[in-house]
Amino acid sequence: MAIRRVGLVVHLGRPASRDVARTVHDWCDAHDIPCADIDVWAKDHQRLSGRAEAEAAGNPDLVVTLGGDGTFLRGARIALKSGASVLGVDLGKVGFLTEVEACDVGEALEAVHHGRATVEERMTLTMRASRALEIPERMEALLRYGRGPALPPPQVRPESTEGEGWGLALDVFALNDVVVEKLARDHQVSVGVYLAGRLLAFYSADAVAVTTPTGSTAYSFAAGGPVLSPHMDAVVFTPIAPHMTFDRSVVAGPDEPVALRVLPHSGQAAVSVDGQLRGVLDPGDWIGVFRAPRRARLIRLRPTDFYGRLRDRFRLTDAPATATDGQPAPFFWPDAPIPPDLAHLRLSPPPMPR
């Protein structure tokens, strides 16, 4: 893809990000490509929706993020609204989404501009709700913990069917997860969980999360959820610190929606999308979470080694009992050509020589 306009999302809390931002601006100037800084933190003024941020930046076709996975998610929120691709420059600590080292950003932009990069598509989630989401003014400062203004609640999409039982369609996309969580420390959230329209169970928990395969290594993983390949489509439901015997995740098909209804005696609950507070639910309110028709477009310069990154990022160690077996040989990567019956398989890149 030839780059026409760049939007730049910078984590200013990381000193190295300023230097990399100058590199991106210099590259854009040299190629006569407009580059707009996008301030998604906005601590001193009202924050904008993803669509408004994209329009303010001139609807870029490439969003470059400088930071960790949190910064990447902020950039993806904007890119999803304009159909842009996202290039993540890794300045974080546990990055699964970011792709490029800071020293390689110029080379990466050249690769994207001249069509040498690959676009990897990821499943996203969207929502319907029994009513439009809102954040009570008296709650916002408390819920944000002094981190600045919250994002505005999601707007209602035109295809809503209010009054017909299917709720309001919300203009929101999640690359990682949608979470419903308790507001008070001493009061768990109680929700009815429905999969594919059928009641699974009533839960009393700190929170319940609905995640994509991409988000399976985030909040859901911390709560004991499964790790899913980001190359598949699925919807994962994970209860977080539930007060019940059945505390397992459920992996549903990509076309099976997950609905969460706040029970009458639960009290209010917060709704977060990719870690950002987007609304508060009252008892009786519900949201439905399901696969979105729009997919996130992640720029990749080389085949993704997800399982190698999983091993490295979580510092996985082998069982002590296997120490005497020495270094294992790579599996499925002999020097010979790949046999015809394996040619259709997705294989991780061969291990780099040590």
Side-chain angles (χ1 to χ4, degrees):
M1 58 175 279
I3 303 172
R4 297 186 302 274
R5 182 179 292 271
V6 172
L8 186 58
V9 179
V10 183
H11 191 311
L12 295 176
R14 303 186 186 276
S17 63
R18 294 180 173 85
D19 295 333
V20 183
R22 280 193 290 270
T23 300
V24 175
H25 277 289
D26 290 346
W27 185 90
C28 289
D29 290 343
H31 291 76
D32 197 26
I33 295 173
C35 180
D37 291 323
I38 303 175
D39 181 9
V40 296
W41 279 266
K43 292 184 178 180
D44 57 347
H45 58 82
Q46 187 68 35
R47 296 179 67 186
L48 303 177
S49 67
R51 196 173 300 279
E53 292 277 16
E55 292 174 355
N59 288 312
D61 58 327
L62 178 68
V63 174
V64 179
T65 69
L66 309 181
D69 280 0
T71 307
F72 187 95
L73 289 171
R74 292 169 187 255
R77 176 177 63 87
I78 296 160
L80 278 163
K81 294 301 178 66
S82 61
S85 300
V86 191
L87 174 65
V89 179
D90 187 12
L91 299 173
K93 299 176 182 178
V94 195
F96 273 92
L97 298 172
T98 50
E99 166 76 6
V100 176
E101 299 295 330
C103 59
D104 297 329
V105 66
E107 176 187 350
L109 290 168
E110 286 288 339
V112 176
H113 192 51
H114 295 287
R116 298 194 300 270
T118 300
V119 176
E120 181 180 292
E121 295 192 346
R122 298 282 185 90
M123 173 186 155
T124 64
L125 299 170
T126 190
M127 298 166 53
R128 281 181 174 260
S130 55
R131 62 175 176 85
L133 295 184
E134 58 183 4
I135 304 173
E137 185 176 351
R138 59 188 171 81
M139 287 188 179
E140 182 173 330
L142 177 63
L143 294 174
R144 295 299 299 164
Y145 298 103
R147 293 186 296 172
L151 284 169
Q155 295 181 336
V156 177
R157 299 202 307 268
E159 62 267 33
S160 292
T161 53
E162 185 175 13
E164 298 179 13
W166 293 102
L168 302 176
L170 303 182
D171 186 23
V172 64
F173 299 97
L175 178 57
N176 262 7
D177 50 40
V178 175
V179 177
V180 174
E181 55 193 319
K182 67 181 184 180
L183 287 179
R185 184 182 179 189
D186 62 347
H187 199 120
Q188 290 195 314
V189 62
S190 296
V191 295
V193 177
Y194 301 77
L195 272 71
R198 176 70 66 182
L199 176 67
L200 175 68
F202 289 167
Y203 285 81
S204 180
D206 283 359
V208 292
V210 183
T211 75
T212 65
T214 297
S216 69
T217 51
Y219 195 8
S220 175
F221 175 84
V227 175
L228 273 63
S229 166
H231 301 296
M232 68 183 293
D233 279 11
V235 180
V236 183
F237 163 72
T238 299
I240 298 168
H243 275 212
M244 59 187 300
T245 302
F246 186 73
D247 60 355
R248 299 295 192 265
S249 297
V250 177
V251 181
D255 56 351
E256 295 178 324
V258 179
L260 309 172
R261 182 185 295 275
V262 182
L263 299 180
H265 295 93
S266 168
Q268 293 178 307
V271 179
S272 296
V273 178
D274 283 347
Q276 298 288 303
L277 175 68
R278 303 306 301 271
V280 172
L281 299 177
D282 292 325
D285 291 339
W286 60 262
I287 60 171
V289 184
F290 49 94
R291 180 176 58 180
R294 187 168 295 181
R295 303 177 76 86
R297 296 166 51 85
L298 281 58
I299 295 294
R300 297 306 191 209
L301 304 184
R302 57 191 62 85
T304 301
D305 184 11
F306 171 73
Y307 300 105
R309 184 170 293 190
L310 182 71
R311 180 179 175 90
D312 293 340
R313 291 297 193 264
F314 289 134
R315 299 177 182 176
L316 301 184
T317 56
D318 303 314
T322 68
T324 56
D325 294 317
Q327 184 69 24
F331 186 58
F332 270 179
W333 275 119
D335 294 332
I338 298 176
D341 63 316
L342 303 181
H344 67 288
L345 300 179
R346 182 195 297 273
L347 297 176
S348 297
M352 298 293 291
R354 293 182 180 274

